[in-house]
Amino acid sequence: MTRRGLWVLPVLALVLAVPVHAQSVRQGVSAFQRQDYVKASRIFIPLAEHGNAPAQTYLGFLFETGRGVPQNYTEAAMWYRRAAEQGDSRAQYSLGLLYDRGHGVPQDIVEASKWLNLSTAAAPPPAREARARIRDAVTSKMTRGEIAQARLRALEWAPSREH
């Protein structure tokens, strides 16, 4: 093989290491919308494992509801948390609800309120009012001290990116 041809081997090895069927979030959402949850989960899992927040949020929902994967609140909470920590407001909302109910995580109304506060603040206008109602319903069960603690946690929170 010539020297010029030597670059082909490492490039070919890289190309072969990447699955030909690598899928995008858009393809996963399309499968999800067609209610092909098994296919959606197969698309979202590798994306989520590589830190894609929207894929993590969808995967959390699939585990929470048992669509395409066995229902598992602990697994749902883990995926929602990974996306929520990156600033995904839908994941923050869902994680807040899990904390409120104690599904997959210890019941913690302060942590629930923190995530619901963050989610409401970042929500797109059409979802903001509905999220605010849920946040306020959770807040109505809290003491003043718990409300202050939740607000402080929300103020101290900063998004982080997965590597």
Side-chain angles (χ1 to χ4, degrees):
M1 187 173 285
T2 66
R3 285 190 92 160
R4 285 178 43 190
L6 287 178
W7 67 270
V8 173
L9 291 176
V11 171
L12 186 59
L14 283 174
V15 170
L16 294 175
V18 176
V20 175
H21 62 278
Q23 304 285 318
S24 71
V25 172
R26 182 180 298 154
Q27 291 167 313
V29 171
S30 178
F32 180 89
Q33 290 172 338
R34 290 190 316 272
Q35 298 182 2
D36 187 350
Y37 301 120
V38 171
K39 182 173 184 175
S41 70
R42 288 182 183 149
I43 294 169
F44 290 137
I45 287 170
L47 295 168
E49 288 172 344
H50 284 93
N52 184 291
Q56 291 168 339
T57 301
Y58 274 101
L59 193 54
F61 179 79
L62 293 175
F63 275 107
E64 181 181 2
T65 59
R67 294 180 180 166
V69 294
Q71 185 177 35
N72 184 326
Y73 289 119
T74 303
E75 192 80 10
M78 186 267 299
W79 289 115
Y80 284 147
R81 176 176 305 285
R82 286 179 65 176
E85 291 289 352
Q86 293 185 72
D88 187 294
S89 74
R90 288 178 305 138
Q92 291 169 338
Y93 177 76
S94 297
L95 185 60
L97 294 178
L98 291 182
Y99 271 110
D100 181 50
R101 298 176 190 139
H103 289 172
V105 291
Q107 190 170 19
D108 184 337
I109 200 159
V110 173
E111 196 67 8
S113 182
K114 170 189 122 177
W115 289 114
L116 293 171
N117 275 323
L118 290 166
S119 170
T120 302
R128 194 169 296 135
E129 186 177 326
R131 289 187 191 179
R133 279 195 302 272
I134 299 297
R135 178 204 58 205
D136 294 346
V138 169
T139 303
S140 72
K141 301 184 281 185
M142 300 170 69
T143 66
R144 285 190 178 124
E146 289 170 330
I147 294 168
Q149 190 178 8
R151 288 183 180 160
L152 181 59
R153 286 184 192 178
L155 287 170
E156 291 174 339
W157 177 84
S160 61
R161 291 281 167 223
E162 289 190 12
H163 303 300

